[in-house]
């Protein structure tokens, strides 16, 4: 429809072009996209001399999408046309867009025309932030102080307190920022922001060479606000600092405290470190107990996988002695269906895997199948996603959907449906029958993976784990930075790889072909493994964030795999390495010969 609109505009048919934009708006759900289409429609109307209607649509953008760049552009055009815009609204839109001078002017104009009782506290919050952005911390602190003085019961009161501390920090006044944060905790301990203030004070001490003060504040935080995320984060930072300073007993005490006050992956991480530290002081009983608790706290996670490897005496990413990608599918399918019947108390002996009449008649599945058949992949995935979500708590229907989608080659949504089977059953992946576990952790393109892995000296299970994380086996996947294909290689890196492997007539679209996506990813992973002498964690970090960063983190960690995770300063990269580690453990159990 966008292309049709452009053709109509080129032919001077404004009405037909706008009709296409309106048809898009009837179905589009994504607000940023809706804003661009609404702006295109307004632009078409104005260029077609339907000025009043075009301006009305610009005003609609301002009202509905004030946080979008299109709203700022629409506002500027209306102002140029002499159409008045509310100064407060002008300030909000300007601030969001990044026009801080414009925001300050608008807010100041708005405030001079009204009594202070009629002014919202949010205006002073945005005004203070805008002053800070243009390098005027004094004016910023004054604006935040206005909220503190004039709006003591406003929900933004605590935020204004924090903003004063942050303003001092950004101005390089570290000690003043710490003092302000600690004053907030002392004076306004009843506010939810008090925990955040203490955390910031502890963090600033720690990042400015004062580990003892940092640790004391984090422990104070845990005592005063034990159930907050800030308390958990603070204890982790304090424990890591104690370990790095050589205070193993202090670190173990802090991790033990975390282990009994957290859940999920945080608890698993704490137990992992308790186990490691207990083993270091030769307390094997405590070490084994803690590591077992780590495996139970967050099944399928990095920390569970890492604890299990330590218990089994395995190195990180230890390769199996062989691989098995061939199974008795008929027998294992029957075993999976028997398990499902028992788990969910299903009577009868009829096969469970065929689509139920309800699913066969589901319009979303029908539309998705037809769209997939004609290559409308993105539209098909929307339909498949809707039906997967609708049955996410129904294990049997999810099982049927997963097998149907796998059968037509829609691998990414098939994995999502397969994961729902295991979630609905409430078990860890490896506690489910192998047939079901392989729906969640499949080995699609196994021949291509094994071939490329052998060429570039990569563990095929590691490559499968990477593919699962990067694209969920969606060969058409594209990410924000231009990453493409199964292994999500960015175009610049792909051009380099194409030269290295003498790929003929390389085009970026090649990456959407499975054999190319796997080949390029295997080469790049293998190159990183060689660069880091087989250290898989560093190689993965290099694949995701660049080898230079990975080398720095490896140096900081001293080669310790768990310290390496702590040393990673990019949250997304840390998660990347952790998840692939967890995935690899499952792939090794499903496809490895031990």
């Amino acid at each position: 429809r966008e292309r049709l609109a452009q053709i109509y505009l080129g032919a001077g048919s404004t009405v037909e072009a706008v009709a296409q934009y309106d048809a898009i708006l009837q179905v589009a759900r994504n607000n940023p996209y809706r804003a661009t289409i609404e702006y295109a429609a307004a632009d078409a109307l104005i260029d077609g001399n339907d000025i009043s209607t075009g301006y009305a649509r610009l005003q609609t953008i301002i009202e509905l999408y004030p946080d979008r760049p299109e709203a700022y552009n629409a506002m500027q055009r209306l102002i140029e046309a002499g159409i008045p815009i509310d100064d407060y609204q002008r300030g909000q839109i300007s601030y969001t867009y990044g026009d801080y001078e414009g925001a300050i002017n608008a807010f100041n104009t708005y405030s001079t025309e009204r009594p202070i009782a009629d002014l919202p506290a949010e205006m002073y919050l945005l005004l203070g932030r805008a002053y800070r952005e243009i390098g005027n911390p004094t004016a910023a602190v004054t604006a935040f102080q206005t909220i503190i003085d004039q709006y003591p019961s406003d929900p933004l009161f605590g935020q204004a307190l924090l903003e004063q501390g942050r303003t001092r920090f950004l101005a390089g006044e570290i000690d003043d920022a710490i003092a302000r944060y600690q004053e907030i905790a002392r004076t306004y301990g009843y506010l939810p922001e008090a925990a955040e203030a203490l955390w910031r004070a502890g963090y600033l001490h720690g990042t400015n060479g004062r580990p003892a003060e940092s640790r004391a504040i984090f422990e104070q935080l845990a005592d005063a606000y034990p159930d907050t995320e800030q308390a958990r984060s603070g204890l982790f930072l304090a424990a890591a600092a104690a370990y790095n300073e050589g205070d193993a007993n202090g670190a173990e005490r802090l991790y033990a405290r975390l282990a009994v006050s957290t859940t999920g992956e945080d608890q698993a991480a704490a137990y992992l470190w308790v186990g490691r530290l207990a083993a270091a002081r030769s307390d094997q009983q405590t070490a084994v107990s803690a590591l077992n608790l780590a495996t139970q706290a967050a099944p399928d996670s990095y920390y569970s996988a890492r604890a299990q490897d330590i218990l089994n005496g395995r190195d990180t990413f230890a390769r199996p002695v062989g691989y098995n990608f061939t199974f008795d599918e008929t027998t294992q399918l029957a075993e999976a269906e028997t398990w499902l019947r028992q788990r969910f108390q299903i009577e009868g002996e009829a096969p469970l895997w065929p689509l139920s009449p309800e699913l066969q008649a589901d319009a979303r599945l029908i539309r998705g199948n037809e769209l997939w058949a004609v290559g409308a992949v993105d539209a098909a995935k929307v339909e498949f996603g809707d039906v997967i979500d609708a049955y996410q708590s129904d294990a049997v229907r999810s099982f049927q959907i997963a097998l149907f989608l796998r059968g037509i080659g829609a691998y990414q949504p098939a994995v999502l449906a397969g994961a729902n089977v295991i979630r609905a059953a409430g078990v860890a992946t490896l506690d489910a029958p192998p047939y079901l576990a392989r729906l969640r952790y499949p080995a699609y393109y196994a021949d291509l993976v094994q071939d490329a892995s052998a060429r570039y000296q990569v563990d095929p299970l590691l490559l499968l784990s990477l593919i699962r994380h990067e694209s969920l086996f969606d060969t058409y996947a594209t990410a924000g930075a231009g990453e493409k294909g199964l292994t999500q290689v960015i175009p610049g890196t792909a051009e380099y790889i194409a030269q290295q492997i003498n790929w003929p007539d390389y085009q970026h679209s090649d990456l959407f072909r499975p054999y190319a996506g796997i080949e390029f990813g295997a080469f790049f992973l293998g190159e990183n493994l060689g660069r880091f002498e087989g250290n898989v964690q560093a190689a993965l970090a290099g694949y995701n964030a660049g080898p230079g960063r990975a080398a720095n983190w490896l140096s900081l960690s001293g080669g310790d795999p768990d310290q390496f995770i702590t040393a990673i300063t990019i949250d997304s990269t840390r998660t990347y390495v952790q998840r692939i580690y967890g995935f690899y453990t499952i792939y090794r159990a499903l496809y490895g010969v031990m």
Side-chain angles (χ1 to χ4, degrees), residues 65-386:
Y65 316 108
D67 59 338
R68 297 295 304 157
E70 292 80 9
Y72 181 82
N73 294 331
M75 180 183 73
Q76 294 296 96
R77 292 180 73 172
L78 291 171
I79 291 172
E80 289 170 5
I83 297 172
I85 304 293
D86 176 79
D87 287 313
Y88 182 49
Q89 188 176 49
R90 184 161 62 91
Q92 288 177 304
I93 292 172
S94 297
Y95 176 83
T96 303
Y97 183 75
D99 178 6
Y100 301 114
E101 294 278 7
I104 291 168
N105 292 334
F107 288 140
N108 284 334
T109 300
Y110 185 78
S111 63
T112 58
E113 296 173 349
R114 291 164 179 79
I116 193 167
D118 294 341
L119 300 176
E122 183 192 36
M123 188 202 78
Y124 286 105
L125 188 74
L126 296 179
L127 182 62
R129 289 172 175 170
Y131 273 124
R132 189 170 66 203
E133 289 289 346
I134 66 168
N136 190 342
T138 302
V141 169
T142 300
F144 300 136
Q145 189 64 40
T146 302
I147 299 175
I148 296 166
D149 294 339
Q150 301 293 332
Y151 304 87
S153 59
D154 194 275
L156 293 177
F157 179 83
Q159 191 63 42
L161 293 168
L162 291 176
E163 291 287 4
Q164 286 190 329
R166 178 167 174 76
T167 301
R168 292 183 170 95
F169 159 67
L170 291 174
E173 301 168 2
I174 303 301
D175 289 338
D176 287 346
I178 291 172
R180 184 54 172 154
Y181 287 137
Q182 290 184 293
E183 181 188 356
I184 292 169
R186 283 194 306 270
T187 309
Y188 305 101
Y190 57 89
L191 290 174
E193 288 82 5
E196 177 66 19
L198 274 180
W199 186 92
R200 292 186 186 187
Y203 181 81
L204 287 178
H205 273 305
T207 53
N208 285 276
R210 305 166 192 162
E213 292 89 339
S214 173
R215 183 166 154 186
I217 288 179
F218 284 142
E219 293 206 57
Q220 176 192 347
L221 169 60
D223 290 336
Y225 308 98
D227 297 327
T228 63
E229 177 59 33
Q230 289 88 348
R232 290 187 285 274
S233 172
L235 283 176
F236 269 117
L237 290 171
Y243 180 85
N244 290 332
E245 291 164 24
D247 182 5
N249 290 334
E252 186 175 349
R253 177 179 60 80
L254 291 166
Y255 281 125
R257 182 173 179 178
L258 271 164
V260 298
S261 62
T262 56
T263 59
E265 289 198 33
D266 285 344
Q267 186 177 57
Y271 274 129
L272 172 66
W273 275 103
V274 170
R276 280 199 53 175
L277 291 165
R281 58 181 175 82
S282 301
D283 184 351
Q284 291 303 315
Q285 182 176 355
T286 299
V288 170
S289 175
L291 291 170
N292 276 318
L293 288 169
T295 67
Q296 298 164 21
D300 296 350
S301 72
Y302 162 80
Y303 297 105
S304 173
R306 178 76 180 112
Q308 194 63 58
D309 278 348
I310 294 173
L311 285 167
N312 291 330
R314 283 194 297 253
D315 291 333
T316 58
F317 290 98
R319 293 178 69 153
V321 297
Y323 306 96
N324 179 25
F325 295 102
T326 303
F327 305 95
D328 184 343
E329 297 289 332
T330 301
T331 299
Q332 293 197 355
L333 172 60
E335 292 171 352
E337 293 202 348
T338 298
W339 185 84
L340 286 170
R341 287 191 185 91
Q342 294 171 349
R343 189 82 184 175
F344 295 98
Q345 300 178 338
I346 300 169
E347 297 182 355
E349 297 298 324
L352 297 178
W353 66 267
L355 288 177
S356 68
E358 178 186 11
L359 284 173
Q360 291 181 42
D362 193 297
R364 296 163 297 192
L365 204 58
I366 294 170
R367 284 195 300 268
N369 189 33
E370 294 296 332
L371 289 163
W372 187 266
V374 298
V377 174
D378 290 338
K381 286 193 291 188
V382 170
E383 300 292 347
F384 292 149
D386 286 347

Side-chain angles (χ1 to χ4, degrees), residues 508-523:
H508 291 326
S509 58
D510 290 349
L511 294 173
F512 293 129
R513 297 179 172 88
Y515 69 89
I518 290 170
E519 184 79 11
F520 279 50
F523 171 86

